[in-house]
Amino acid sequence: MQESITTSFPQCHATPQVSCGQCRLNTLCLPIAMHVEDVDKVNDIIQRGRPTHKNEYIFRGEDDFTAVYAVRSGCIKTITVSGEGQEQVTGFYLPGEILGMDGIASGKHTNSAIALETSAICEIPFAHLETLSSEIPSLQRHVFQLLGKEIAIDQQLITLLSKNSADERVATLLLSISSRNSRRNLSATHFRLPMSRAEVGNYLGLTVETVSRVLSRLQKSNLIVANKKEITLLDLQGLRELTQGNSREV
């Protein structure tokens, strides 16, 4: 019987030497039931360079699409720039998440990806991934699932920006980060926002002042505690009700 990977791994340090088999995030990036020998095949095609520092680009809009990228540590934002030079934040990517799939359709990236803090990135050449996916059915299914998640994220953003209430938008983002942390076995109720208030506002279509006012309102309502970038969610159910349009009097 072939040996399968387990979910108990040493902590993944942000160094090029960490392999997929050792990475504590591999159950997010890779199929859970993948055999050790198949993990080794994936590991062989992945490129791990030096850490990406704050404000460094991973790729730029209109760059040729050659790879997708897995965040091992840190946080990445994606942006588009209009013809008038206006920057729009299109997403935030946390450890264990994949970015860069925007280039699959046209062969060119439509977004730029920038590190919000020092981050470790795994670069996965897409041509090698395609070849390997045809050899490993579970990997192929996982790639399709990742593509499906990208579509769901795009739809979520459209839905988020269609909400009239700034409170709903901010609460939805906080709950999104909470659930994504939970997937990584991190705290769902206490976390640090790696992005600035300005970046949050840009993403949500709000001004910086509005984001700050909303966080203050949520705190006065005993839904959260906000201390600079440190966020504690006190009432998850209350936040969920808020995202459904059930506002709470302050």
Side-chain angles (χ1 to χ4, degrees):
M1 182 180 294
Q2 290 178 303
E3 183 183 1
S4 295
I5 61 174
T6 66
T7 57
S8 178
F9 298 107
Q11 183 167 348
C12 175
H13 301 288
T15 63
Q17 291 76 26
V18 173
S19 68
C20 293
Q22 295 171 314
C23 182
R24 63 185 172 88
L25 299 173
N26 65 9
T27 54
L28 299 179
C29 299
L30 300 175
I32 292 175
M34 182 177 280
H35 299 297
V36 167
E37 60 198 51
D38 290 335
V39 173
D40 289 340
K41 291 178 183 177
V42 175
N43 187 67
D44 288 342
I45 71 171
I46 290 178
Q47 300 171 12
R48 302 175 183 86
R50 63 173 179 80
T52 303
H53 296 292
K54 183 176 180 178
N55 295 328
E56 281 190 17
Y57 281 78
I58 298 167
F59 55 82
R60 296 175 184 266
E62 297 302 319
D63 280 354
D64 290 337
F65 170 72
T66 59
V68 294
Y69 304 84
V71 183
R72 206 158 77 246
S73 67
C75 182
I76 307 298
K77 73 173 179 180
T78 52
I79 64 168
T80 59
V81 180
S82 70
E84 295 75 35
Q86 293 283 337
E87 179 181 301
Q88 172 65 51
V89 177
T90 56
F92 299 110
Y93 293 82
L94 303 175
E97 297 178 345
I98 308 291
L99 69 149
M101 291 190 176
D102 58 300
I104 292 177
S106 66
K108 299 272 188 184
H109 286 290
T110 59
N111 293 299
S112 297
I114 306 169
L116 287 175
E117 56 191 4
T118 299
S119 305
I121 305 294
C122 293
E123 180 178 342
I124 310 168
F126 196 72
H128 295 323
L129 183 61
E130 280 186 302
T131 301
L132 206 54
S133 293
S134 66
E135 299 174 8
I136 308 172
S138 63
L139 180 61
Q140 187 178 62
R141 286 193 298 271
H142 195 65
V143 171
F144 289 152
Q145 288 171 350
L146 292 174
L147 287 170
K149 287 179 182 177
E150 282 293 298
I151 294 170
I153 288 171
D154 288 341
Q155 292 174 336
Q156 182 185 48
L157 177 59
I158 293 170
T159 302
L160 181 60
L161 296 180
S162 70
K163 292 179 182 292
N164 293 324
S165 165
D167 296 50
E168 290 177 63
R169 298 185 190 188
V170 173
T172 299
L173 177 61
L174 294 177
L175 287 173
S176 171
I177 294 173
S178 169
S179 64
R180 289 151 72 185
N181 277 354
S182 180
R183 288 179 60 230
R184 292 182 284 143
N185 295 318
L186 298 177
S187 174
T189 57
H190 181 80
F191 47 83
R192 176 182 171 277
L193 291 178
M195 64 290 291
S196 67
R197 298 281 195 271
E199 287 161 334
V200 169
N202 185 294
Y203 179 63
L204 298 179
L206 304 171
T207 65
V208 178
E209 294 77 14
T210 299
V211 172
S212 296
R213 284 197 296 269
V214 169
L215 291 174
S216 295
R217 267 200 302 274
L218 296 180
Q219 182 156 287
K220 289 179 181 177
S221 298
N222 294 316
L223 294 173
I224 71 169
V225 172
N227 181 14
K228 297 182 180 178
K229 287 194 171 187
E230 296 293 326
I231 302 292
T232 301
L233 306 186
L234 301 176
D235 186 350
L236 289 172
Q237 184 55 37
L239 287 169
R240 293 188 189 103
E241 290 174 2
L242 182 58
T243 64
Q244 297 164 4
N246 301 322
S247 60
R248 180 178 291 192
E249 292 297 326
V250 177

